[in-house]
Amino acid sequence: MKDTLVLYMADIDDNDEVFLNGQLIAKYGGRNGGMQERHYGKRMYKIPANHPAILWDKENVLAVRIFDTSGDGGLYGADFNLHMADIMEYVKYDTDGDFAYGEKTRWANLSSW
């Protein structure tokens, strides 16, 4: 599981390119298109741990280029994080779905364990 570096950025207004040590590693929120299109929103980029731009045990420089179509553009929020991926990276919670109760529900009767 420790084969991927995960970069979380807060909201980007409107589009971005991310460079690590001068090499382009991600762009446009993972969408197709061009730099001058609107792709406002949160960013999560996954970078292979063996990517040649990563300098392990050395100083690394992360640069983000932002393109704004109008108004106040840039990086917004406080949700910035850089870490190695783990199992929780791939877990999603469905709070809109129904929870099943009954005999076939493993968690319905914990005393039967």
Side-chain angles (χ1 to χ4, degrees):
M1 291 302 298
K2 301 292 182 181
D3 63 349
T4 304
L5 189 63
V6 180
L7 170 64
Y8 282 109
M9 295 193 299
D11 292 309
I12 301 288
D13 182 7
D14 284 310
N15 220 346
D16 65 309
E17 292 178 333
V18 180
F19 298 84
L20 180 60
N21 297 318
Q23 292 186 38
L24 180 66
I25 59 168
K27 61 183 180 178
Y28 316 149
R31 298 176 186 98
N32 293 326
M35 184 64 165
Q36 297 182 358
E37 293 180 18
R38 291 182 176 181
H39 294 300
Y40 179 88
K42 296 194 182 306
R43 299 292 193 263
M44 179 183 75
Y45 293 121
K46 295 179 181 175
I47 307 148
N50 63 355
H51 194 287
I54 301 173
L55 304 177
W56 292 106
D57 297 322
K58 296 181 182 175
E59 184 174 304
N60 289 271
V61 177
L62 186 68
V64 181
R65 178 179 174 218
I66 304 290
F67 178 80
D68 181 42
T69 56
S70 64
D72 297 332
L75 288 163
Y76 293 92
D79 189 18
F80 295 94
N81 192 320
L82 180 67
H83 64 273
M84 295 302 291
D86 63 17
I87 191 71
M88 294 307 291
E89 225 58 59
Y90 305 98
V91 172
K92 295 191 182 197
Y93 298 98
D94 181 6
T95 58
D96 295 326
D98 294 333
F99 183 79
Y101 295 96
E103 291 293 321
K104 294 184 179 182
T105 304
R106 182 177 182 180
W107 302 103
N109 186 359
L110 297 178
S111 63
S112 65
W113 282 18

